[in-house]
C-alpha cells in the first residue's frame, strides 16, 4: 500500500512538472495563457476539456458542487482552482463574485435558461467569450424540416403555433431547455457585450462516462452470450441512423481552436459529430469487435435501449468542417479507444464502487430475475473486484 501511495505521489508530482513546462512553452511560443472558467468540468466531456486546457498552459478554474467523478479528484482537482458552488444559488457564490475577469467561460452545466440568465447577470462585464455545450436535442422541439436530410444549424426554428410548441416541449423538456439557453445567449450577447459559440452535440462517447450508458452496453455486450440474453434492437431503431461524438475531439477543438476564435465563427451554433452515421446494431457490433466478442446475438423488437437520446436522426456537420476545420475521429476508433479504457478501468481501484453500482442498475432495469446470478458470475471473470452474489 505504501508503495502504491508513493508511486501515486511521484506520478502526480511529475504531472505537475509537465504542466509547468507546458506553461513555459506556451509563453515562449507567443500563445498567451488564458484565464478560463469551466462550469462543470468534472464529467466525461468537461473533465477531458479541463485536462487539455491545463496541459496547454492555461489558468483553469472549475466551478461545480464538489463531486469528482471517476479519477478526476487526482487527475484534475490538484491542477485547477476549484470553486465549490451550486449553480442554482449562484448569487451566494462569493468566491466567484470576487474574481475579476475570465477570458473564456465554458458552460457544461446549464440546463435551465433561468440559471444561465442569472449567471450572465452576475458576471456581466467579467468575461469575454462564452462557449456553451448544447445538444442535438434542440432539433426535437423544432419544426419538421422539408429536406429529409440530417439536421442543419438553420433548422432550429420553433413551431409557429403555441399548441405545437407546447406539445414538443412537453415531449422533450431537455431539448426545449437547451434551445432556450441558446436563445438567452442570442438575446443577451449584444446587450451585455460578450461573444458566444454554441456546440450542438449528439450522444457523447469516450472515457469516464458518468451517464453510465456506454458502461451498460459495454457490460451487456461483454457477457450477453454467456448468460443467454441477446442485445435488444427496438423496432424503430432497426434502420435508424445515429450520430455520436468523441469527447476527446470536442476537448481538443475547444483547446486548440475555440478559446482563441476568429471573428467569423462567433455568435452562432455548430453541429459536431463523428464523421459516420451508424445504426444501433452497427454501433454494438463495433463494441463487440473491440471486446473480441463475435458474432453478437441480437433480438429485434425489444424495448430496452440506452442510445440514442433523440428521435430525429443524425446532424449535418458541414458547417463545422468548413469553418472550424472539424476533423473528428472515425467512430470505430472512438469506440475501440473507449472500450480499451473501460476494460482497464474495471480493474482499477477507483472503479470498485462504480462497477457494483452499474451492475445493480442493469439488474434492476434490464435483466430478468433468472439471469441475475449468472450475470454476476460471468462479470466476476472480467474484474479483479469482488462481486458479491445476488441475495
Amino acid at each position: 500500500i505504501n508503495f502504491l501511495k508513493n508511486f501515486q505521489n511521484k506520478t502526480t508530482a511529475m504531472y505537475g512538472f509537465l504542466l509547468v513546462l507546458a506553461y513555459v512553452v506556451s509563453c515562449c511560443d507567443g500563445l498567451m495563457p488564458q484565464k478560463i472558467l469551466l462550469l462543470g468540468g468534472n464529467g466525461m466531456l468537461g473533465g477531458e476539456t479541463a485536462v487539455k486546457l491545463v496541459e496547454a498552459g492555461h489558468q483553469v478554474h472549475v466551478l461545480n458542487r464538489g463531486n469528482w467523478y471517476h479519477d478526476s479528484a487526482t487527475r484534475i482537482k490538484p491542477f485547477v482552482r476549484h470553486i465549490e458552488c451550486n449553480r442554482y444559488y449562484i448569487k451566494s457564490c462569493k468566491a466567484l463574485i470576487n474574481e475579476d475577469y475570465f477570458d473564456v467561460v465554458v458552460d457544461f452545466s446549464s440546463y435551465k435558461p433561468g440559471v444561465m440568465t442569472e449567471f450572465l447577470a452576475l458576471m456581466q462585464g467579467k468575461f469575454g467569450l462564452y462557449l456553451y455545450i448544447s445538444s442535438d436535442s434542440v432539433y426535437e422541439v423544432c419544426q419538421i424540416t422539408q429536406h429529409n436530410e440530417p439536421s442543419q444549424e438553420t433548422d432550429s426554428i420553433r413551431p409557429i403555433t403555441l399548441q405545437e410548441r407546447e406539445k414538443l416541449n412537453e415531449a422533450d423538456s431537455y431539448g426545449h431547455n437547451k434551445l432556450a439557453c441558446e436563445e438567452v445567449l442570442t438575446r443577451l450577447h449584444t446587450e451585455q457585450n460578450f461573444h458566444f459559440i454554441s456546440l450542438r452535440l449528439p450522444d457523447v462517447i469516450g472515457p469516464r462516462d458518468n451517464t453510465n450508458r456506454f458502461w451498460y452496453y459495454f457490460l451487456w455486450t461483454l457477457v450477453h452470450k454467456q448468460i443467454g440474453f441477446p442485445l435488444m434492437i427496438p423496432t424503430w431503431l432497426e434502420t435508424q441512423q445515429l450520430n455520436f461524438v468523441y469527447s476527446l475531439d470536442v476537448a481538443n477543438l475547444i483547446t486548440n481552436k475555440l478559446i482563441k476564435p476568429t471573428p467569423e465563427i462567433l455568435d452562432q451554433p455548430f453541429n459536431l459529430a463523428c464523421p459516420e452515421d451508424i445504426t444501433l446494431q452497427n454501433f454494438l457490433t463495433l463494441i463487440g469487435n473491440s471486446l473480441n466478442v463475435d458474432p453478437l446475438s441480437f433480438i429485434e423488437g425489444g424495448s430496452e435501449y440506452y442510445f440514442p437520446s433523440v428521435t430525429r436522426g443524425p446532424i449535418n456537420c458541414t458547417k463545422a468542417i468548413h469553418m472550424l476545420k472539424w476533423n473528428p475521429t472515425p467512430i470505430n476508433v472512438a469506440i475501440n479507444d473507449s472500450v480499451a479504457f473501460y476494460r482497464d478501468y474495471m480493474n482499477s481501484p477507483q472503479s470498485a464502487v462504480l462497477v457494483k453500482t452499474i451492475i445493480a442498475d442493469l439488474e434492476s432495469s434490464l435483466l430478468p430475475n433468472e439471469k441475475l446470478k449468472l450475470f454476476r458470475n460471468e462479470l466476476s471473470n472480467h474484474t479483479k473486484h469482488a462481486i458479491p452474489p445476488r441475495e
Side-chain angles (χ1 to χ4, degrees):
I1 295 175
N2 289 332
F3 168 78
L4 291 175
K5 288 182 178 179
N6 291 334
F7 178 78
Q8 185 179 40
N9 291 337
K10 290 178 181 178
T11 302
T12 302
M14 178 59 71
Y15 184 54
F17 169 76
L18 292 175
L19 296 180
V20 173
L21 183 61
Y23 179 89
V24 173
V25 170
S26 67
C27 293
C28 294
D29 285 345
L31 302 175
M32 287 302 295
Q34 303 283 290
K35 184 180 178 183
I36 300 172
L37 173 65
L38 305 185
L39 303 178
N42 54 347
M44 172 167 57
L45 184 54
E48 292 297 342
T49 304
V51 168
K52 294 295 182 183
L53 290 171
V54 170
E55 288 177 346
H58 298 292
Q59 181 185 350
V60 180
H61 295 59
V62 172
L63 185 150
N64 57 46
R65 290 174 294 178
N67 299 319
W68 295 98
Y69 303 108
H70 289 88
D71 55 353
S72 57
T74 55
R75 182 173 176 249
I76 298 171
K77 187 178 180 181
F79 310 106
V80 301
R81 184 184 174 214
H82 181 222
I83 302 174
E84 187 168 338
C85 176
N86 189 325
R87 287 286 305 274
Y88 287 89
Y89 305 99
I90 198 71
K91 290 182 179 179
S92 63
C93 187
K94 294 181 179 179
L96 177 64
I97 295 171
N98 291 335
E99 292 289 338
D100 50 1
Y101 187 84
F102 293 98
D103 298 293
V104 183
V105 173
V106 188
D107 186 354
F108 298 94
S109 64
S110 279
Y111 303 105
K112 298 284 186 178
V115 173
M116 175 182 278
T117 301
E118 195 169 60
F119 175 86
L120 293 174
L122 181 71
M123 298 297 289
Q124 185 170 350
K126 299 179 74 172
F127 68 91
L129 175 66
Y130 199 100
L131 298 180
Y132 179 50
I133 306 305
S134 188
S135 167
D136 64 348
S137 293
V138 302
Y139 299 113
E140 300 286 301
V141 297
C142 294
Q143 296 177 4
I144 300 294
T145 63
Q146 301 300 314
H147 54 66
N148 294 320
E149 298 291 334
S151 298
Q152 305 170 14
E153 289 84 353
T154 52
D155 292 332
S156 55
I157 301 172
R158 292 186 186 267
I160 296 174
T161 67
L162 179 61
Q163 181 180 8
E164 184 64 15
R165 284 192 180 201
E166 291 178 344
K167 178 183 176 181
L168 293 176
N169 294 347
E170 183 178 355
D172 195 322
S173 60
Y174 177 77
H176 161 59
N177 283 308
K178 295 297 274 190
L179 184 55
C181 287
E182 289 191 30
E183 292 164 345
V184 166
L185 294 173
T186 301
R187 187 176 71 250
L188 294 181
H189 81 278
T190 301
E191 175 186 325
Q192 296 188 7
N193 193 31
F194 66 87
H195 290 292
F196 75 92
I197 298 172
S198 295
L199 303 180
R200 294 175 179 169
L201 309 182
D203 292 311
V204 182
I205 61 173
R208 303 172 178 86
D209 176 12
N210 54 305
T211 71
N212 293 340
R213 291 179 297 167
F214 196 96
W215 269 113
Y216 296 151
Y217 274 131
F218 169 84
L219 293 178
W220 190 0
T221 303
L222 184 64
V223 301
H224 76 286
K225 297 179 80 170
Q226 291 90 336
I227 68 174
F229 193 69
L231 298 160
M232 295 180 187
I233 305 293
T235 301
W236 74 275
L237 284 173
E238 289 176 9
T239 59
Q240 175 81 343
Q241 296 294 310
L242 315 177
N243 270 154
F244 296 88
V245 70
Y246 189 34
S247 58
L248 274 71
D249 287 340
V250 180
N252 283 327
L253 181 71
I254 291 172
T255 303
N256 299 329
K257 177 74 175 179
L258 299 186
I259 62 168
K260 295 286 286 184
T262 50
E264 69 272 10
I265 69 173
L266 294 172
D267 307 327
Q268 57 189 302
F270 291 91
N271 293 337
L272 301 179
C274 290
E276 308 92 345
D277 302 338
I278 189 172
T279 65
L280 179 59
Q281 182 166 332
N282 288 339
F283 176 80
L284 296 175
T285 298
L286 289 174
I287 293 179
N289 291 343
S290 297
L291 288 169
N292 295 318
V293 178
D294 184 46
L296 303 184
S297 297
F298 292 99
I299 182 170
E300 296 180 351
S303 59
E304 294 295 333
Y305 67 95
Y306 301 107
F307 293 122
S309 56
V310 296
T311 63
R312 294 198 183 179
I315 54 178
N316 185 321
C317 299
T318 301
K319 179 181 174 183
I321 292 170
H322 289 162
M323 297 184 67
L324 304 181
K325 307 304 179 188
W326 173 244
N327 184 26
T329 301
I331 185 69
N332 64 310
V333 177
I335 289 175
N336 190 64
D337 290 349
S338 300
V339 167
F341 169 82
Y342 292 111
R343 268 199 147 165
D344 289 342
Y345 195 75
M346 276 189 71
N347 293 306
S348 70
Q350 299 96 331
S351 73
V353 174
L354 178 61
V355 168
K356 292 175 185 177
T357 299
I358 293 169
I359 290 172
D361 288 346
L362 278 174
E363 290 178 339
S364 63
S365 65
L366 177 68
L367 294 170
N369 288 335
E370 64 269 19
K371 300 293 183 182
L372 300 182
K373 182 178 179 180
L374 187 57
F375 177 65
R376 290 193 172 216
N377 289 342
E378 286 298 328
L379 282 183
S380 66
N381 296 326
H382 297 278
T383 179
K384 297 176 182 177
H385 302 310
I387 298 178
R390 179 76 177 179
E391 297 180 358

